[in-house]
Amino acid sequence: MQRTATEGRGQVRYGPPPLQPGLPVLPELVSVLGAAADHSAPEPPGGGEPLREAACRHWGRRGLATSPESVATGPGAPGLLLAVLGAYGGDVMLPRPCPAWWTPQVRLLGRRAYHVATPAECGGVPDPYALLETVRRVRAEGGDPRVLLLSVADDPTATVPPPELLREACEAAETAGLFVVSDETWRDTVHRPHDTLVLSPAEMLPEQAAVLVDLSGALLPAGWPAAVVRFPDTGRGARLREGTLDVLTATGATVAGPVAAAAAHALGEPDAVAARASAAAALHGRVAAAAHRELLAAGALARPPQAGRHLYADLTPLRAGLARHGVGDAMELEDWLGDRLGAPAPGGQRFADDLGALRVRLSTGPLLGATPQERLAALTARDPLALPHVRRSLDLLGSVLAALA
C-alpha cells in the first residue's frame, strides 16, 4: 500500500496514546488536587517556587544538586521539550527507535531530526561510533546538529543503557560538541532497582546536559500534565533557561495551579506516593516479563524489559505467518495486532523505526485488567500472574502469536 505525505502527518495527529499506569489515581493525590481546586491562577511561566523547589529536592535525592533558578516547568514534556529546543537552536540527533513524541517537536520548529541506530544491548542512546560518523556526515552536507536527545530508561524499548555505554555516548556527544537533553521520565520505574544501575548524563557532563522529566509518567496520571527540566548551573544554562521561559510565555504553556500542587506533593515522595510508585514498577515488571516469555515462546524477538510499562517486540521471525493475514509492514501490523488484542499496539514507524520492520510496542497496562477494580487487585495480589483476568490477557497474547507459526 502506498504511503502518502498526508498519511505520514496523520501519524502525528493520531499518534499512539500515552502510556497509562493502568491503576486508579492515588487517593492522596486526588485530595491534594481537590484542596487546590480553588486556585484559579495558573503557575507563572517556568513554574512557581514551590514546584521548582520540590523538583530540586527530588533531584537532590538522586545525587543531582539543583537550585530553583536552574529549573523550569511546563504542562507536559512535549511542550517543555519544544521550548528547550526552540531556545537552543540547531538540528537534533536522536536514537532510532525513539519516543513517538520526540521527532514531531523537532519538526514543528522547522529543524532537522537525524536518527542514529542504537547498539544491540539497549535502546535510548545512539551507538557512539555511529553518532560521531553521522554528525560528521551531516555537517559535511551543510546540516547544523547541536543537540542530542537520549533516554536513560527508554520508551519504546523498555531498556536501560549500561553505565559504560551511556558514558561512551556522552563522550561522543562532547567530542561532537552536542548539548545533551536526557529524558528521564521513566527512571524511577525500573523493574529491579537493586539490579539495575541508572545514571544521568548530568552526572557525566554537568555543564553540557539538561534533564527532562514528564511527571505524567511515574508520578501523575496522564490527564494531569506537568513536566520539569533541570538546566546546567552555568552561564549558558541560565541563558538557555531564560530562552525556554520566553518560549513558554509566548505559547502560554503554563501548569494549572491545582496540578502544580499535586505535582509538588508527588515530587516530595511521601510514603504513600513512594509506596505506590514502587509497587506499580514491580507489578508492571512482572507482567512485562511474563509477556516477554510469551513473545519468545512464539518465536518473536524482544530485549528483556527493564523499566516502564511496555516492551518492544520484533515479529520479523513471524513474517510468513503475518503475510497470510495481509500484514507486510509495521502500520499493517499495528492495525492487525491491535484489533486482535483489543488494545493499542503502535507500530515501530511511530517511533522513527523502519516501516518495513515488523516491530510494535506492547503496553502492560491493558494486561492488568479491564476495570479499575481488576487493576487494583493486580497491584495488591501476592501473585498477580495467578489472577484469572491477568492470565487471560497473557494467554490471549500467546494464542494470537502462536497462530502465526
Side-chain angles (χ1 to χ4, degrees), residues 314 316 319 328-330 333 348-349 353-360:
D314 185 352
T316 300
R319 184 180 290 275
D329 64 26
L333 177 59
Q349 83 284 355
D353 213 338
D354 294 332
L355 177 63
L358 296 172
R359 301 190 185 108
V360 292

Side-chain angles (χ1 to χ4, degrees), residues 47-325:
E49 194 164 320
L51 179 53
R52 289 186 287 117
E53 288 181 343
C56 291
R57 293 190 292 271
H58 177 85
W59 276 310
R61 291 190 293 272
R62 287 151 183 80
L64 292 176
T66 308
S67 67
E69 293 72 28
S70 297
V71 175
T73 74
L80 193 50
L81 177 63
L82 183 77
V84 173
L85 296 179
Y88 198 88
D91 299 329
V92 182
M93 311 299 298
L94 311 93
R96 182 191 302 275
C98 68
W101 56 274
W102 282 7
T103 307
Q105 310 310 312
V106 179
R107 292 177 175 165
L108 281 171
L109 292 167
R111 312 276 174 74
R112 292 186 179 91
Y114 297 98
H115 295 91
V116 182
T118 56
E121 300 95 315
C122 65
V125 299
D127 178 273
Y129 299 103
L131 174 63
L132 289 171
E133 175 57 25
T134 304
V135 169
R136 184 201 63 76
R137 176 180 55 79
V138 167
R139 286 176 174 156
E141 295 174 354
D144 184 27
R146 298 188 200 174
V147 177
L148 169 64
L149 271 176
L150 56 76
S151 177
V152 300
D154 184 43
D155 169 18
T157 66
T159 58
V160 175
E164 61 276 10
L165 193 52
L166 179 63
R167 182 173 297 279
E168 290 175 2
C170 288
E171 289 173 350
E174 184 176 32
T175 299
L178 300 175
F179 184 79
V180 175
V181 178
S182 175
D183 180 2
E184 302 186 6
T185 296
W186 302 104
R187 172 176 180 154
D188 295 326
T189 65
V190 171
H191 301 158
R192 299 169 64 92
H194 298 296
D195 300 331
T196 308
L197 178 61
V198 183
L199 297 179
S200 171
E203 300 175 63
M204 304 172 185
L205 301 174
E207 299 184 358
Q208 200 172 323
V211 176
L212 177 69
V213 178
D214 193 343
L215 303 181
S216 303
L219 294 176
L220 297 179
W224 302 3
V228 292
V229 63
R230 175 192 186 273
F231 297 100
D233 186 16
T234 63
R236 183 171 69 166
R239 291 189 295 274
L240 178 56
R241 180 179 183 271
E242 291 171 359
T244 299
L245 296 186
D246 288 341
V247 177
L248 293 172
T249 301
T251 56
T254 57
V255 180
V259 172
H265 185 81
L267 283 168
E269 298 176 289
D271 290 345
V273 172
R276 165 61 74 87
S278 177
L283 170 62
H284 284 283
R286 293 192 67 177
V287 174
H292 184 252
R293 290 192 292 271
E294 297 288 351
L295 286 164
L296 297 187
L301 304 173
R303 295 183 180 103
Q306 297 175 285
R309 299 163 181 160
H310 55 280
L311 64 167
Y312 199 55
D314 185 352
L315 273 60
T316 300
L318 306 177
R319 184 180 290 275
L322 288 166
R324 294 196 300 269
H325 296 274

Side-chain angles (χ1 to χ4, degrees), residues 19 32 108:
L19 289 167
V32 173
L108 281 171

